[in-house]
Amino acid sequence: AAAAARFQHDGTQVLAAVWGPGEVRRARERPDQATLEVLVRPASGLAGPLEREMELLLTATLSHAVVLSLHPRTLVSLVVQVVDHDGSVLAAALHACGLALIHAGVPLRGMLGTCACAVAADGALMLDPTVAEEASAVAVATLGYLVCSADGDGGAAPACELLLSHSTGALSAEQHAAAAEAAREAAVAAAAFCRQSMTAGRAPLDA
């Protein structure tokens, strides 16, 4: 692997490994940009429909985050291994992929920040729900954002572009808007944490 990263929150842990940019089969070659593929492996057993759905969602999301035009006629491959699954696994997988891509030197348009939000029967919102909380919720939404640094030093909030919106269950427009706002704030904080984790061990170069 060119690079790998591990992301964990509570009882959910995901590993992501990146290969490439490298050689791509001619049948999959694209003359104007790189080809991106994502493979998801479950914590145990063989991959099933849930893993196939995650692969489609991650590929579509990352295709908008990675600057694929810089590496035409190549392949960027990611393998996502779910180590422990206790809820919010799609959000954890996207964070792990983003960190692995940065570590591999694959150019991104910004930091990736993602959060899962469950809506309880009483209308309360739960961020990063566990498997039990997801099972008891009336709806679960996972929202992923491309978080870009704000221009200038005026303390403005970073710009966020919604790249992923996946939900299950019955979710009203008002509940979705509330979940999106809560998830956006959490995504900004998660992106800042990821940025800090990537730079914590680096020392500035001497002038």
Side-chain angles (χ1 to χ4, degrees):
R6 175 176 64 92
F7 189 88
Q8 178 178 0
H9 64 73
D10 297 330
T12 295
Q13 182 179 177
V14 177
L15 295 173
V18 178
W19 283 265
E23 184 178 358
V24 62
R25 290 184 297 176
R26 184 174 296 275
R28 303 184 62 191
E29 185 179 87
R30 305 183 66 175
D32 58 337
Q33 65 181 42
T35 300
L36 179 70
E37 71 172 7
V38 181
L39 302 176
V40 177
R41 300 289 182 257
S44 61
L46 300 176
L50 291 179
E51 286 73 31
R52 299 286 85 82
E53 181 184 34
M54 283 183 61
E55 289 173 356
L56 292 174
L57 292 170
L58 290 171
T59 300
T61 303
L62 293 171
S63 294
H64 290 286
V66 178
V67 187
L68 297 173
S69 60
L70 293 180
H71 301 284
R73 302 181 186 275
T74 63
L75 173 68
V76 177
S77 180
L78 293 100
V79 176
V80 177
Q81 175 66 58
V82 179
V83 180
D84 297 300
H85 181 4
D86 189 25
S88 309
V89 68
L90 178 58
L94 189 56
H95 279 132
C97 288
L99 289 171
L101 287 166
I102 293 173
H103 190 48
V106 177
L108 298 176
R109 294 171 50 221
M111 296 293 297
L112 290 167
T114 314
C115 183
C117 186
V119 181
D122 60 359
L125 298 179
M126 298 178 288
L127 300 182
D128 294 326
T130 64
V131 167
E133 290 170 338
E134 289 179 346
S136 63
V138 297
V140 179
T142 301
L143 298 109
Y145 294 86
L146 186 73
V147 183
C148 301
S149 298
D151 295 331
D153 299 323
C160 294
E161 179 184 347
L162 181 63
L163 298 184
L164 169 67
S165 180
H166 176 263
S167 61
T168 59
L171 198 65
S172 68
E174 292 78 12
Q175 288 173 327
H176 186 275
E181 179 60 24
R184 188 192 67 80
E185 294 180 4
V188 171
F193 171 79
C194 291
R195 184 187 300 276
Q196 182 181 19
S197 69
M198 295 295 292
T199 59
R202 299 182 181 179
L205 296 174
D206 294 333

